Amino acid sequence: MLRYSMVVATLMALAAPASAQSIGGNYRIDGTNFDGSRYGGTARIVITSNTTCEIFWDTGGGSTAEGICMRNGPAFTAAYVMGNAIGLVIYEILPDGTLDGLWTVAGQRGNGTEVLTPR
């Protein structure tokens, strides 16, 4: 019974949402568009609670986006607005703090990729 209780306690601790605070800060962007063309820029994540945040992207040439984000364990998601487009990005948080993601835009087929590297 004690072993079962320890296993349950461990699983519950692993399932609990991780703090968003460990991902706040500035990042370098390396991404690909739907057609495979590359883009870069900077991103900033601002913590708003233990699990939520705001995210801002600047990919140059006046192209900016902003959104809300949330972390749960190794998953980090953001919904964003870029001009009239609404999108979604899902990142995996790697052990070194890099965010490795896939993004899409509502009403369009396909996805792009994006890596946010801490600066």
Side-chain angles (χ1 to χ4, degrees):
M1 187 64 154
L2 178 60
R3 183 185 306 182
Y4 176 76
S5 297
M6 289 174 59
V7 169
V8 169
T10 301
L11 289 174
M12 289 178 64
L14 291 173
S19 170
Q21 291 181 318
S22 61
I23 58 169
N26 296 307
Y27 293 82
R28 182 185 81 235
I29 300 172
D30 294 297
T32 59
N33 292 303
F34 288 8
D35 64 4
S37 62
R38 302 191 68 72
Y39 67 91
T42 59
R44 182 171 49 100
I45 299 173
V46 177
I47 305 307
T48 57
S49 80
N50 286 338
T51 57
T52 61
C53 52
E54 294 176 339
I55 185 168
F56 304 89
W57 294 265
D58 185 342
T59 55
S63 183
T64 62
E66 60 184 74
I68 60 169
C69 41
M70 179 174 257
R71 177 177 181 176
N72 185 14
F76 178 72
T77 62
Y80 63 91
V81 175
M82 181 180 235
N84 291 327
I86 298 171
L88 176 69
V89 59
I90 301 172
Y91 298 100
E92 176 184 5
I93 303 169
L94 302 180
D96 68 356
T98 298
L99 306 176
D100 186 14
L102 296 174
W103 59 268
T104 193
V105 175
Q108 296 186 20
R109 292 180 180 235
N111 68 275
T113 66
E114 187 167 271
V115 176
L116 301 183
T117 305
R119 295 174 33 169

